[in-house]
Amino acid sequence: MKIFLDSANLNELENCLKRGIVRGITTNPSIISKEPKTNFVKHIQKMADLCKNYNQILPLSVEIFTPNASEMYAQASELLQTIDYKNINIKIPIGWGELEVIYRLSREGIPVNCTCLFNEAQCMLAANAGAKYVSIFMGRLKDIGADPLPIISNVRELLEKTNSQAEIIVGSIRHARDISDAQQAGAHIVTANMKFFETMAIHPQTTKSVDGFLEDFKQWLSPIKV
Ligand code: E4P
């Protein structure tokens, strides 16, 4: 399973890049609004430049920020022209007008991440329209009392049955455990904040084992008493 970073924070991005642990980056307008106010395109360019500096041309999902479907294509084209990076993916929320934009961009070879998906029907429409990624929001499904896991499994099965190339990204992660649950349910990719990766790297038995090794070695290294 691939892990993507769900953040627009330059520090978090660099920390992930220097560890080589993520295979892509996802952002959305709320995530960007958590960063210090600056020019939107300049900020995305900084993220892209960091990836280039680390020689990791990862897919970088940038969400359009107009609610008007007829303006989405123009905004996406402008972003693609202004940002100097070979792997910009355009993130578009699902919707009737939006499907037309997803289809148009996909036919032009632009990778689309269709976002804010909450059920099988939405995912299949997005995949049929040519979206490269279908992003299911796990935490927000739980927020309304729904169980995201069967939805993820069903979508995976449907994508496979229809020979679709689309990949499932599960986002809206609230606990480190959600990451393995989503993976087991059939997610191709999980996108999450860096804090969850830090948690995943830690296990009390690892700490205990390493402390024990160092303690034993310290005693062995100490001068032999004669
Ligand atoms: C995924 O691409 C989204 O950015 C994201 O995970 C949204 O999650 P939230 O519910 O934490 O806003």
Side-chain angles (χ1 to χ4, degrees):
M1 181 197 60
K2 285 181 275 187
I3 288 174
F4 281 15
L5 173 68
D6 198 25
S7 171
N9 184 278
L10 299 171
N11 196 32
E12 283 185 21
L13 175 57
E14 185 155 26
N15 269 300
C16 290
L17 290 169
K18 64 167 76 145
R19 288 170 174 80
I21 53 172
V22 295
R23 297 291 173 267
I25 306 132
T26 52
T27 65
N28 66 38
S30 299
I31 284 176
I32 290 171
S33 71
K34 288 185 188 139
E35 300 310 310
K37 258 190 183 189
T38 178
N39 174 284
F40 169 64
V41 171
K42 275 192 187 150
H43 188 79
I44 300 292
Q45 188 63 58
K46 278 189 187 166
M47 296 179 73
D49 290 343
L50 260 182
C51 293
K52 287 193 223 170
N53 290 347
Y54 281 86
N55 253 326
Q56 297 176 43
I57 311 303
L58 306 175
L60 170 56
S61 283
V62 182
E63 189 159 341
I64 42 81
F65 50 93
T66 167
N68 186 337
S70 58
E71 288 169 11
M72 289 178 180
Y73 179 82
Q75 198 173 84
S77 309
E78 203 186 322
L79 284 172
L80 291 160
Q81 275 162 29
T82 356
I83 301 162
D84 175 25
Y85 188 64
K86 288 197 166 52
N87 210 352
I88 294 290
N89 293 195
I90 298 294
K91 213 171 173 190
I92 306 220
I94 188 70
W96 187 240
E98 286 80 350
L99 282 166
E100 200 178 321
V101 187
I102 295 169
Y103 181 56
R104 188 169 171 193
L105 289 168
S106 303
R107 283 189 40 144
E108 289 173 10
I110 293 149
V112 174
N113 175 349
C114 182
T115 189
C116 296
L117 299 168
F118 290 92
N119 63 28
E120 294 86 341
Q122 289 183 314
C123 290
M124 292 320 290
L125 285 172
N128 286 353
K132 178 172 172 140
Y133 299 115
V134 290
S135 285
I136 303 175
F137 281 14
M138 185 163 186
R140 289 183 191 233
L141 271 162
K142 286 188 188 176
D143 290 345
I144 55 164
D147 183 356
L149 300 180
I151 298 172
I152 298 166
S153 308
N154 293 341
V155 173
R156 178 68 183 252
E157 204 181 313
L158 285 164
L159 291 176
E160 270 162 22
K161 270 193 191 147
T162 53
N163 290 322
S164 171
Q165 297 302 302
E167 288 188 295
I168 303 168
I169 300 183
V170 172
S172 190
I173 297 299
R174 303 279 190 260
H175 306 278
R177 179 65 203 261
D178 291 341
I179 297 179
S180 46
D181 286 349
Q183 175 193 20
Q184 274 165 26
H188 296 92
I189 299 157
V190 177
T191 190
N193 187 272
M194 192 190 76
K195 67 180 179 209
F196 298 113
F197 308 147
E198 286 178 284
T199 313
M200 285 159 72
I202 294 160
H203 192 284
Q205 282 296 85
T206 306
T207 316
K208 199 176 160 195
S209 308
V210 175
D211 289 352
F213 295 157
L214 295 180
E215 191 48 43
D216 292 344
F217 202 51
K218 202 161 63 187
Q219 284 168 23
W220 187 83
L221 281 176
S222 62
I224 301 163
K225 288 181 192 125
V226 278

